[in-house]
Amino acid sequence: MVQDISKILNSMRYIAIVGLSPNKEKASYFVSKYLQDCGFKIYPIYPKEEIILNEKVFRSLKEIPFLIDTVVMFRKSSYANELFEELLFKNVKNFWMQLGIINDEIMQKCQKYGINCVQDRCIKIELQKKV
């Protein structure tokens, strides 16, 4: 898993954030803000809102008409099962399930399809370790 963390952190530039809440108190918001501040391009995915963190909000990965190399998920672990087909459709290279999100089935599928995958880790904390 440490290998995947390093691969992801060293290769990501265009990040879709699944479950990016407009609530500034939520981890999805402040982690995404940190990613933006580090120079990454983020694409919020959220069922409501039109703009979050000054970025256009999309309803799904498939809606995003741009290259995405990384998906960071802030949803319940079971949602990863739904999301997996979209990862393949968008040819995503990196999938990150945030702290507290564990889905071993999706970890195995990612490995099978050559997608770098991390679960139960915070991308902000891991980036801060790297700096």
Side-chain angles (χ1 to χ4, degrees), residues 25-128:
E25 304 298 315
K26 299 268 187 173
S28 64
Y29 185 92
F30 61 79
V31 168
S32 298
K33 173 95 173 79
Y34 179 80
L35 291 172
Q36 259 188 335
D37 291 347
C38 287
F40 297 104
K41 175 66 177 163
I42 66 163
Y43 299 100
I45 298 176
Y46 193 70
K48 303 170 235 163
E49 306 297 321
E50 295 306 314
I51 303 286
I52 301 175
L53 288 169
N54 297 315
E55 298 289 348
K56 177 184 176 2
V57 175
F58 297 92
R59 305 297 173 234
S60 72
L61 278 181
K62 287 183 179 182
E63 268 190 32
I64 301 172
F66 309 106
L67 171 73
I68 301 163
D69 52 53
T70 305
V71 172
V72 177
M73 189 180 84
F74 284 90
R75 301 269 317 259
K76 290 183 179 174
S77 60
S78 59
Y79 188 74
N81 297 14
E82 236 177 276
L83 191 59
F84 188 73
E85 292 304 317
E86 291 188 48
L87 296 176
L88 294 177
F89 177 81
K90 291 297 287 183
N91 199 28
V92 170
K93 300 294 180 218
N94 306 309
F95 182 45
W96 193 291
M97 292 178 274
Q98 271 296 115
L99 205 55
I101 303 170
I102 299 169
N103 188 320
D104 291 330
E105 178 187 346
I106 293 303
M107 286 287 291
Q108 290 174 353
K109 281 185 173 183
C110 284
Q111 188 174 26
K112 179 181 173 183
Y113 287 90
I115 299 170
N116 301 314
C117 188
V118 171
Q119 63 182 350
D120 196 25
R121 294 283 183 100
C122 176
I123 198 165
K124 179 179 184 274
I125 291 170
E126 297 302 328
L127 268 172
Q128 288 171 328

